[in-house]
Amino acid sequence: MLDQCHQSFWRKWSAEYLTTLQARTKWTSEVPNIQVNDMVVIIDNQQPPLMWKIGRVLEVLPGSDRIVRVAKVLTRQGEIVRPVAKLVVLPTAVERST
């Protein structure tokens, strides 16, 4: 019962919330590149969303046009290289000076 609740939550969270973080502008507007130290969720189509990894971007690998299409990410299991299309940047709190 509890496992079903978890699966239902993750299914809904990944379908409704995660997709809003990864806007697909289809080149109509310029989107800022992923940056070093961004926290990301790594989309893995072979795993359910509950099993997706979270990591921190260590290095970005821009193409000749300076658009980042690949990033090196640090996870608990080690470093991996993934296309940006498989990464969802998590929102982080911005420090405010008072």
Side-chain angles (χ1 to χ4, degrees):
M1 177 70 174
L2 186 58
D3 193 41
Q4 288 176 338
C5 287
H6 281 123
Q7 288 177 354
S8 175
F9 169 79
W10 281 105
R11 199 173 313 117
K12 191 169 188 162
W13 183 77
S14 65
E16 295 177 11
Y17 180 67
L18 274 183
T19 55
T20 64
L21 296 177
Q22 188 179 31
R24 296 174 188 246
T25 57
K26 207 63 168 173
W27 311 291
T28 57
S29 64
E30 196 160 318
V31 178
N33 281 328
I34 194 168
Q35 297 177 1
V36 173
N37 289 327
D38 281 347
M39 293 298 295
V40 295
V41 174
I42 303 160
I43 298 172
D44 184 354
N45 295 334
Q46 304 300 317
Q47 298 284 336
L50 185 59
M51 304 299 289
W52 288 353
K53 297 175 187 170
I54 294 177
R56 180 179 301 277
V57 177
L58 292 178
E59 182 182 351
V60 292
L61 307 167
S64 58
D65 56 1
R66 291 186 279 195
I67 296 176
V68 176
R69 293 192 176 84
V70 179
K72 188 182 293 186
V73 180
L74 178 64
T75 67
R76 285 186 176 178
Q77 291 75 28
E79 294 180 12
I80 59 173
V81 177
R82 287 291 182 269
V84 174
K86 296 288 185 177
L87 302 175
V88 179
V89 178
L90 293 172
T92 56
V94 177
E95 285 187 35
R96 294 186 176 132
S97 58
T98 54

